[in-house]
Amino acid sequence: MFVFQQSHSTIFLQAGMKTTGKMELTLQDWIDALEAGVNGVKMRGKAELGDKTMIDALVPALNALKQAAENGTTLSDALERSARAAEEGMKATIPLVARKGRASYLGERSAGHQDPGATSSYLLLRTAAEQWKNN
């Protein structure tokens, strides 16, 4: 069962405000929407890279989108690159000790476990990449 966290709501609310009224999204629209979502989550939870949160998946995903745009990549390929970067960021949370979010309550016991927020963020980006494949 997928549990929707407040931080996910923040992503969708912020991203939605960036895409209001648009019937189609360009790569730049995706970048703007994800950046707004990431900034909203950072503001809400005060998390940064390495805190073992969804930020550890989202920031690399955003950076991959930006890099793809600089290289003139198609939207489909850019979303795929973004999802792969999110997956790497998600896996990188395994050895970390959580410093923010609910996992921080576990302290040292959080090391050795993949962060749930990073995992669900990866799954959202993987789904987007699959849905827009070849579009």
Side-chain angles (χ1 to χ4, degrees):
M1 181 169 89
F2 180 72
V3 177
F4 208 66
Q5 300 174 342
Q6 288 179 343
S7 296
H8 287 104
S9 298
T10 300
I11 291 171
F12 285 118
L13 286 169
Q14 297 298 319
M17 287 193 292
K18 283 290 185 182
T19 58
T20 299
K22 296 185 182 218
M23 299 302 289
E24 293 184 23
L25 298 181
T26 65
L27 177 51
Q28 190 58 54
D29 292 331
W30 274 96
I31 291 168
D32 294 344
L34 186 56
E35 189 163 41
V38 168
N39 289 338
V41 170
K42 283 182 173 183
M43 189 178 350
R44 179 183 193 95
K46 311 295 187 249
E48 295 295 330
L49 275 175
D51 284 342
K52 192 170 187 155
T53 68
M54 64 195 327
I55 292 298
D56 292 301
L58 293 172
V59 169
L62 176 59
N63 291 339
L65 277 179
K66 289 178 177 180
Q67 183 66 43
E70 289 175 11
N71 295 336
T73 306
T74 65
L75 176 58
S76 177
D77 191 41
L79 291 173
E80 179 58 36
R81 290 179 190 194
S82 179
R84 282 196 309 262
E87 181 177 23
E88 290 173 18
M90 168 194 73
K91 289 178 180 177
T93 67
I94 294 170
L96 300 177
V97 173
R99 296 188 298 234
K100 299 283 184 178
R102 290 186 182 160
S104 68
Y105 302 149
L106 298 172
E108 294 291 329
R109 293 179 295 158
S110 67
H113 301 279
Q114 193 167 288
D115 181 68
T119 302
S120 56
S121 297
Y122 158 70
L123 292 172
L124 288 169
L125 293 165
R126 167 57 47 214
T127 301
E130 289 172 4
Q131 290 302 310
W132 272 272
K133 195 173 213 164
N134 301 320
N135 284 335

